[in-house]
Amino acid sequence: MDPAKSSIITQEMIAELAHRITHEPVKNRDNAGKMTGEWVIFAKNDGKNYYLCLNTHEAGDQFIYERITEHCVKNFPDLPQWFG
């Protein structure tokens, strides 16, 4: 998004930005051989996946659990029952 090229932000520009910030880092990590090391934590509820947290393997289960409960219960008050 270069204002010298265009002062208008288009759908195509937004799509390219979204692609570059989501796909390029993964591609770069794959090319560097660094695709491991993170947990993607999600919970299933009513047939849907809710992605709750991304963290390193070294963080530890308790830290990840506390992070999820601290930040996600605000948006999903019944989250603790999902794990029941």
Side-chain angles (χ1 to χ4, degrees), residues 4-47:
K5 293 181 181 179
S6 175
S7 61
I8 299 170
I9 298 173
T10 65
Q11 287 289 80
E12 291 81 16
M13 294 166 92
I14 293 169
E16 180 181 350
L17 176 63
H19 177 80
R20 292 183 77 176
I21 63 174
T22 56
H23 293 274
E24 284 185 13
V26 173
K27 182 179 176 184
N28 293 341
R29 290 189 67 172
D30 185 34
N31 290 340
K34 297 182 178 181
M35 286 298 290
T36 63
E38 284 85 24
W39 292 112
V40 176
I41 312 297
F42 70 96
K44 289 184 177 278
N45 188 47
D46 291 332

